[in-house]
Amino acid sequence: RVELMALGLDGTELARAACSVPPEPTPLELEQAMGDLLVEIRAEIHHELIGFGFAMPARRADLGMSHPIWGWRDVPVQNSFRQLAAGRPYAVLDLAEAACLANSRQPQLRDASRAVHLQIGAGATMARAIDGRINLDLPARWGEPGHVPLGLEDRPCSCGRTGCAHAFVSIDTLA
């Protein structure tokens, strides 16, 4: 399932559109679905879109999307996002980064200079915000606590190793 939302600069939801995609979509199928939803959202709102933020279920999706459930490894999606943005500014974040950014800007946290968000879903990822900005200068695997070895070697992980936290606390294993 793919979902797009249009938000005002104050964070107010202006429009939402969603559609189904195959369980293991190809990059082209995902790009087509996002393009169709963007057309739908543009027709629904009466505001100019000045920029885009894409939250994807993949670590550092701006560099190349890896998604073990979909079978993607370092799929170059940057051109797709550039085309969808049509010359406007855009950012690509993973779900943890997007949630951390949103949470760090909540009024209740206005006095906090730092925020950390742990996202548990199909895997476990983390992100850190400093002064309302996502910190992307961390080591490459910093935000992937799901692949920290627990010292328990009896469960295989989707990454090919055994004993990762992901093998014990992901949505698939808890269901």
Side-chain angles (χ1 to χ4, degrees):
R1 179 172 164 86
V2 176
E3 187 170 1
L4 293 183
M5 287 190 308
L7 302 175
L9 293 176
D10 63 355
T12 304
E13 183 178 319
L14 303 173
R16 181 186 296 245
C19 70
S20 295
V21 293
E24 296 180 11
T26 66
L28 185 58
E29 289 170 327
L30 185 62
E31 180 181 340
Q32 183 64 50
M34 289 174 61
D36 292 347
L37 293 174
L38 193 53
V39 167
E40 187 178 324
I41 282 188
R42 282 183 168 147
E44 187 176 331
I45 64 171
H46 305 288
H47 299 277
E48 179 184 354
L49 297 176
I50 61 171
F52 297 89
F54 298 98
M56 303 295 294
R59 201 76 194 127
R60 292 310 314 269
D62 58 327
L63 302 176
M65 193 166 163
S66 294
H67 195 290
I69 294 172
W70 293 349
W72 294 11
R73 180 141 182 92
D74 297 326
V75 173
V77 293
Q78 197 65 297
N79 285 338
S80 298
F81 294 119
R82 190 174 297 115
Q83 288 177 337
L84 289 169
R88 292 181 175 84
Y90 69 97
V92 181
L93 302 173
D94 76 9
L95 296 177
E97 291 165 341
C100 186
L101 182 61
N103 291 337
S104 72
R105 294 182 177 187
Q106 294 299 312
Q108 306 90 315
L109 297 176
R110 75 174 143 255
D111 296 330
S113 63
R114 294 170 191 228
V116 174
H117 179 86
L118 173 63
Q119 179 87 22
I120 296 179
T125 59
M126 290 183 356
R128 180 172 75 172
I130 298 175
D131 296 325
R133 295 182 166 277
I134 294 298
N135 184 349
L136 298 175
D137 295 328
L138 297 165
R141 298 201 48 97
W142 177 87
E144 297 187 29
H147 295 288
V148 170
L150 297 179
L152 306 169
E153 302 299 325
D154 62 338
R155 288 195 189 170
C157 181
S158 62
C159 73
R161 297 185 310 196
T162 58
C164 294
H166 173 79
F168 294 89
V169 297
S170 71
I171 267 211
D172 295 334
T173 58
L174 295 175

